[in-house]
Amino acid sequence: MGMTSNMEIVIILQKLLDNRILTKEEFAYLIDHRDDSIPKLVNGKIAMESPRSILQKRANEIRQSVFGNKIYTRGLIEFTNYCKNNCYYCGIRAGNRNAERYRLTEDEIMDCCQTGYELGFRTFVLQGGEDPYFTDERIAQIVRNIKSIYSDCAVTLSVGEHEIETYRLWKEAGADRYLLRHETANDEHYRILHPEEMSASHRRQCLWNLKSLGYQTGAGFMVGSPGQTSAELAEDLLFLNNLRPEMIGIGPFIHHDQTPFASRPDGTKELTLFLLSILRVMFPKVLLPSTTALGTIAADGREQGILHGANVVMPNLSPVADRKKYSLYEHKICTGEEAAECRSCLANRMHLIGCELAVDRGDYQAS
Ligand code: SAH
């Protein structure tokens, strides 16, 4: 649309601000027209502003009114890069024969927690591939150990799709939260991103199961993944509106050289930030991280994420010796620094935008 103003977009934008939800067609239209111009009066003059800029301001305001200047932190422990799955986008897919595999011992995981605790982390996120070595009972035992020593901390698991009985075992072991991005809510698009043996409906069922067990549950998707259109992004937003997760993780798709998507273009910072703003407007209280992937495609990505409505950062606690091996995508940042350096670097970055890292569990607050 360029400089021509468009009444349709004004109506849709107002509707989103008022109702926090749109139809699929309206969401897709908003995404496609995010850089249109809308007139407004500034000091007696008509000025133009884009829906993108309007939503950023609203999202940042909502973040500040709900969370103040506090940014929640989660200590990320990437404890295994073995994976039985073959997601076409992911660098640690089973089919990547060039990946140097590692798994942390239970002692190493506990060391990460100790370092993290001393640095002020009160949430530990255990993330990994779907590694059969880590049986249901092994993971349950790790959760029990962490919770027995750090009873004031939350434990988040992010280890893929499992049966409801397994999720129940881990919940009873003390796990508080679970991250499982749905990746895409559209079945055909899911098929473009994953091999035959994986299914979108199974992944969604896992999310409903996690919710029913009382986990604070995180869904989400990559922005700009191969084959993704505005219509599919609109479906992702509608799926999230149905699921009503406590956490939503989004970040740009970034190619990895050893995957079938090696030559696909990366997602953009601009669209990721726009979607963060929409999500904050839709879900004022949701826990919304400014992700490492966003920090990887742009030097100021994580700060910008916060300024577009995100309220969580997830620095890495994994041992530096193994960091580079958890390579989901190319050029991942912060693979060379100790946990303490990562934390203080982020604390500085947050200070510069008027925010502060919180030292508490940072649970979802329903009311
Ligand atoms: N095995 C776990 C953890 C997956 S890694 C699970 O299945 O949930 C966490 C997230 O990283 C994935 O859900 C995916 O959305 C994201 N990811 C994987 N490969 C990526 C890539 N190439 N670019 C950006 N994000 C990627």
XYZ file of all heavy atoms in Angstrom, residues 208 237-245 283:
102
model
N -2.363 -30.700 24.617
C -3.605 -30.766 25.408
C -3.388 -31.648 26.634
O -3.871 -31.335 27.731
C -4.764 -31.291 24.558
C -5.202 -30.316 23.487
C -5.026 -30.437 22.144
C -5.871 -29.055 23.687
N -5.537 -29.329 21.487
C -6.061 -28.473 22.408
C -6.313 -28.361 24.827
C -6.688 -27.233 22.228
C -6.943 -27.136 24.639
C -7.126 -26.582 23.355
N -1.877 -18.525 15.250
C -2.424 -17.612 16.268
C -3.767 -18.120 16.779
O -4.052 -18.057 17.978
C -2.547 -16.199 15.686
C -1.207 -15.556 15.261
C -1.434 -14.221 14.564
C -0.282 -15.376 16.475
N -4.574 -18.670 15.872
C -5.885 -19.197 16.290
C -5.724 -20.456 17.139
O -6.457 -20.659 18.114
C -6.776 -19.456 15.085
C -7.249 -18.181 14.371
C -8.047 -18.520 13.123
C -8.077 -17.304 15.306
N -4.770 -21.293 16.773
C -4.514 -22.484 17.593
C -4.104 -22.071 19.009
O -4.602 -22.609 20.011
C -3.427 -23.367 16.965
C -2.968 -24.469 17.881
C -3.812 -25.528 18.189
C -1.707 -24.428 18.467
C -3.399 -26.541 19.070
C -1.291 -25.431 19.337
C -2.148 -26.487 19.636
N -3.211 -21.097 19.102
C -2.779 -20.628 20.425
C -3.956 -20.048 21.203
O -4.065 -20.221 22.419
C -1.660 -19.587 20.278
C -0.339 -20.134 19.725
C 0.619 -18.996 19.379
C 0.315 -21.095 20.726
N -4.861 -19.394 20.477
C -6.026 -18.830 21.145
C -6.926 -19.920 21.734
O -7.525 -19.742 22.785
C -6.813 -17.960 20.172
C -7.858 -17.135 20.876
O -7.535 -16.351 21.767
N -9.116 -17.342 20.512
N -6.986 -21.065 21.056
C -7.750 -22.203 21.587
C -7.039 -22.850 22.763
O -7.646 -23.147 23.788
C -7.925 -23.287 20.523
C -9.030 -22.968 19.568
O -9.936 -22.198 19.900
N -8.965 -23.537 18.373
N -5.760 -23.098 22.594
C -4.991 -23.828 23.607
C -4.813 -22.991 24.873
O -4.807 -23.520 25.972
C -3.617 -24.210 23.028
C -2.683 -24.993 23.950
C -3.223 -26.410 24.180
C -1.265 -25.068 23.359
N -4.655 -21.701 24.704
C -4.370 -20.779 25.799
C -3.195 -21.267 26.665
O -3.336 -21.514 27.862
C -5.617 -20.534 26.662
C -6.843 -20.155 25.819
C -7.755 -19.145 26.450
N -7.156 -17.827 26.588
C -7.138 -16.889 25.629
N -7.649 -17.122 24.435
N -6.601 -15.726 25.868
N -2.024 -21.388 26.049
C -0.846 -21.833 26.792
C -0.364 -20.736 27.752
O -0.678 -19.562 27.551
C 0.190 -22.074 25.693
C -0.208 -21.141 24.600
C -1.704 -21.051 24.656
N -2.412 -12.023 24.419
C -2.252 -12.726 25.706
C -1.424 -11.854 26.653
O -0.206 -12.054 26.786
C -1.507 -14.059 25.507
C -2.093 -14.955 24.453
C -1.499 -15.060 23.193
C -3.238 -15.706 24.707
C -2.031 -15.895 22.210
C -3.783 -16.544 23.735
C -3.176 -16.635 22.492
